[in-house]
Amino acid sequence: MTMTSEIDLTSSAAKRVAAIAERQGKPAILRLAVDGGGCAGFQYRFELAEGADKDDVTAERDGVTLVVDTVSLDLVRGSSVDFVENLGGAAFQVNNPNAQSGCGCGTSFSV
């Protein structure tokens, strides 16, 4: 497990992860992975994790840990994970400087 400044978790996202984890009785660890697919080529996948794998890269904020596998990190390096609430709903959002295009749903991107 490596701490990094290559990816960040906003305080809004950390607060939301902590609330979800507490409600589900799980550790406050959010895993971000990138899968092939989605309407733009790649899609973000979020889930609560029990822990970090030995080759994961991690970032911490306010007692919450964000974990990313090294393959996904290549696609999200320099990104920030945020939690956004607006008229369209509430969701985790990745502000990814590597994405050349995205889609309307905000969960899919291309590089």
Side-chain angles (χ1 to χ4, degrees), residues 8-65:
D8 190 29
L9 184 69
T10 68
S11 58
S12 175
K15 185 184 295 185
R16 184 65 175 179
V17 171
I20 293 169
E22 183 178 339
R23 195 168 55 238
Q24 294 186 10
K26 294 186 175 184
I29 302 171
L30 179 67
R31 175 170 295 283
L32 166 61
V34 176
D35 294 332
C39 47
F42 294 101
Q43 60 187 2
Y44 302 113
R45 181 171 42 90
F46 294 100
E47 63 187 9
L48 288 180
E50 291 296 323
D53 296 334
K54 66 178 181 165
D55 62 339
D56 283 341
V57 173
T58 65
E60 290 187 30
R61 180 175 304 267
D62 303 331
V64 174
T65 303

Side-chain angles (χ1 to χ4, degrees), residues 2 17-18 29 42 44 46 48 50-52 54 63 66 69 72 81-84 97 100:
T2 308
V17 171
I29 302 171
F42 294 101
Y44 302 113
F46 294 100
L48 288 180
E50 291 296 323
K54 66 178 181 165
L66 173 66
D69 63 89
S72 295
V81 176
D82 196 6
F83 183 76
V84 179
Q100 293 184 0

